[in-house]
């Protein structure tokens, strides 16, 4: 999901933002680091507030239903990865 979501959804949302005169994050130059911000902005109203790093007001506006689904899978896989790494570290600490 770390490859699919930025390539399909983030690219589409960035193109739509450029068409409407809003600029995508200038600090993300193709690395895909803005993908978690986009995924959170699709689901959380608090993440849509403009900040110096990211302006999420336009993300939810331009998100298609497939973008919402891919954002959900992206967040699920990211949180699952973080959870599994945390459990592995905890188990290694407890067992040693």
């Amino acid at each position: 999901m770390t490859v699919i979501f930025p390539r399909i959804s983030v690219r589409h949302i960035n193109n739509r933002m450029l068409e409407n005169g809003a600029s995508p994050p200038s600090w993300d130059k193709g690395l895909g680091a803005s993908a978690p911000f986009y995924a959170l902005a699709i689901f959380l109203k608090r993440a849509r507030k403009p900040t110096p790093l990211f302006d999420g007001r336009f993300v939810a506006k331009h998100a298609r239903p497939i973008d919402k689904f891919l954002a959900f899978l992206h967040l699920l896989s990211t949180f699952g990865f973080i959870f599994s790494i945390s459990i592995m570290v905890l188990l290694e600490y407890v067992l040693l």
Side-chain angles (χ1 to χ4, degrees):
M1 288 316 299
T2 58
V3 174
I4 294 172
F5 179 67
R7 298 230 181 207
I8 295 174
S9 299
V10 173
R11 184 178 293 168
H12 168 75
I13 293 170
N14 282 343
N15 290 337
R16 294 289 303 219
M17 287 171 64
L18 287 172
E19 289 174 3
N20 291 335
S23 61
S26 61
W27 49 268
D28 185 21
K29 299 294 182 189
L31 296 175
S34 62
F37 294 105
Y38 277 63
L40 287 173
I42 288 174
F43 288 110
L44 301 175
K45 289 183 181 180
R46 180 174 278 175
R48 295 179 191 160
K49 294 181 182 177
T51 64
L53 287 177
F54 179 73
D55 188 2
R57 294 178 293 171
F58 303 105
V59 173
K61 177 181 173 184
H62 298 303
R64 305 170 292 186
I66 188 67
D67 299 331
K68 294 176 183 179
F69 178 71
L70 291 175
F72 173 74
L73 291 178
H74 179 75
L75 288 175
L76 184 68
S77 65
T78 301
F79 289 133
F81 175 73
I82 292 170
F83 180 73
S84 64
I85 294 296
S86 301
I87 294 296
M88 286 173 30
V89 169
L90 181 67
L91 288 176
E92 184 175 329
Y93 178 75
V94 170
L95 294 176
L96 288 178

